[in-house]
Amino acid sequence: MHTGGEPLRVVLSGYPEVPGDTLLAKRRHVRDRLDRLRTALMLEPRGHRDMYGALLVPSELPEADLAVLFMHNDGYSTMCGHAVVALGRLAVDYGLVKREPRAPETPVNIHCPCGLVRAFVQYSESDGKTGEVRFHSVPAFAFATDVSVTVEGFGEVVVDISYGGAFYAFVGAKTFGLDVMHSKTRDLVDAATAVTKAVKAQVQLHHPTSEDLAFLYGTILTDDNDAYSSEPTANVCVFAEAQVDRSPTGSGVTARIALQYHKGLIGLNQTRTFQSGATGSLFTGKAIQETTCGDFKAVVVEVAGRAFYTGVSHFVQEKDDELTDGFLLK
């Protein structure tokens, strides 16, 4: 599947059973014991450095319709908005929800490593077709603002750090003499990667509920248009091992709205449009509710987008020169 141009390989069958009492424990298990399968599915020759994946597993939460482990070119993330949009549609189309689909929307509770994310899938009873998907995030919050870090090749750079199911550093692209819509992708990647390395080395992150969530996922370069406007605002997310998100980045939109709300630049239920600097694709987002996460003031953010199917593949994993069970991927 893909959402806003960002790919998603959904593993439907053939994967070994993943033990663990919690989803975070399952995430640790696949990271420590089954990582060869991630590299086989995500990297060349079966994938590429910007491939993204989702492994469906059982959830310990009774209200969850499904649970998911996200994977990418460097490991396993804790939240992925473009994947949630795709999985919401997949869950309704494949009958994975615990209730009959209903119009105008069918709710789908998706258990992500960061927590329970509630998705709502457009559904037509007349033809059974699904459409746009919106989701409500876990509590999102600004972790730190105006943080000065020393970035190799650029000197002192001031960044904001915000959480939307994963932690991101935010900085305007013009800081590096770049434009998220027009600069070369290589230049954007180099600048964002340098910021990520600097923040990881110089800033200690923590999350109120689990240290499994306390890591910097990537850097998002923005167009600096953070004050509320009806016009789209653009960004490019570079995450994991210099991986470029081709969508506007669902968890990044969540974190950016939390940051804008924290700074008083956007109010509750003010919808903004976010544009991918990589492809021009669009998500919408808005803060819908104030909440807390530990000692942090937080918001619940609603993000909306559309996902599409790209086909079904059967992959065969080779081990010790023998063929073993394959993976069915959507």
Side-chain angles (χ1 to χ4, degrees):
M1 303 181 74
H2 79 85
T3 307
E6 178 69 358
L8 183 71
R9 282 184 165 168
V10 186
V11 182
L12 298 178
S13 66
Y15 216 86
E17 182 178 351
V18 180
D21 293 334
T22 67
L23 188 57
L24 285 174
K26 289 181 170 68
R27 178 175 175 267
R28 289 191 292 270
H29 180 86
V30 296
R31 181 192 64 199
D32 297 340
R33 303 291 183 88
L34 297 175
D35 200 51
R36 71 186 188 280
L37 303 182
R38 175 192 64 82
T39 59
L41 293 171
M42 295 297 101
L43 304 182
E44 299 281 1
R46 300 172 183 87
H48 54 81
R49 67 172 296 104
D50 290 327
M51 182 54 71
Y52 206 95
L55 171 64
L56 304 185
V57 296
S59 171
E60 74 272 16
L61 303 180
E63 65 268 41
D65 292 300
L66 65 147
V68 57
L69 297 173
F70 303 117
M71 60 183 73
H72 47 70
N73 73 2
D74 192 45
Y76 305 86
S77 57
T78 54
M79 174 58 188
C80 179
H82 94 272
V84 165
V85 170
L87 291 172
R89 186 177 180 193
L90 179 84
V92 175
D93 289 342
Y94 274 66
L96 302 181
V97 292
K98 297 178 179 179
R99 64 199 68 82
E100 288 296 318
R102 66 172 186 260
E105 289 182 320
T106 297
V108 181
N109 294 331
I110 301 175
H111 185 190
C112 304
C114 63
L116 190 69
V117 175
R118 302 184 186 277
F120 305 87
V121 182
Q122 280 186 348
Y123 180 77
S124 171
E125 291 182 343
S126 61
D127 57 15
K129 290 184 177 181
T130 50
E132 184 179 75
V133 179
R134 60 188 178 95
F135 68 82
H136 292 171
S137 72
V138 296
F141 56 88
F143 178 82
T145 58
D146 299 324
V147 179
S148 180
V149 292
T150 302
V151 180
E152 185 177 359
F154 298 101
E156 291 297 310
V157 174
V158 176
V159 305
D160 297 325
I161 302 171
S162 190
Y163 178 82
F167 282 101
Y168 295 95
F170 289 86
V171 59
K174 68 181 182 182
T175 300
F176 312 100
L178 301 174
D179 184 305
V180 293
M181 296 298 295
H182 302 294
S183 294
K184 293 180 179 179
T185 301
R186 182 72 266 164
D187 294 336
L188 295 167
V189 169
D190 288 345
T193 300
V195 172
T196 296
K197 290 180 178 178
V199 174
K200 284 183 175 181
Q202 300 168 44
V203 181
Q204 181 67 45
L205 299 180
H206 67 88
H207 190 278
T209 64
S210 174
E211 287 305 304
D212 283 302
L213 307 176
F215 64 94
L216 189 74
Y217 190 31
T219 292
I220 296 179
L221 303 179
T222 77
D223 60 5
D224 275 326
N225 294 325
D226 286 311
Y228 175 74
S229 169
S230 59
E231 296 298 315
T233 178
N235 51 237
V236 169
C237 175
V238 181
F239 65 98
E241 185 57 38
Q243 186 164 340
V244 179
D245 194 332
R246 300 170 188 183
S247 80
T249 310
S251 57
V253 166
T254 301
R256 193 173 173 199
I257 288 178
L259 186 61
Q260 292 171 348
Y261 188 81
H262 173 81
K263 293 184 174 184
L265 300 174
I266 192 172
L268 289 178
N269 295 307
Q270 287 188 309
T271 300
R272 292 216 66 183
T273 300
F274 295 81
Q275 185 173 27
S276 165
T279 63
S281 60
L282 304 174
F283 286 169
T284 60
K286 60 183 177 180
I288 61 172
Q289 178 186 338
E290 291 183 340
T291 185
T292 58
C293 186
D295 293 332
F296 291 100
K297 293 181 179 180
V299 288
V300 175
V301 175
E302 179 181 289
V303 177
R306 285 182 176 270
F308 302 89
Y309 294 100
T310 57
V312 179
S313 300
H314 186 268
F315 283 68
V316 177
Q317 170 69 16
E318 297 180 14
K319 181 181 179 182
D320 297 331
D321 297 325
E322 294 182 0
L323 299 181
T324 63
D325 289 339
F327 305 101
L328 182 61
L329 306 170
K330 192 66 180 177

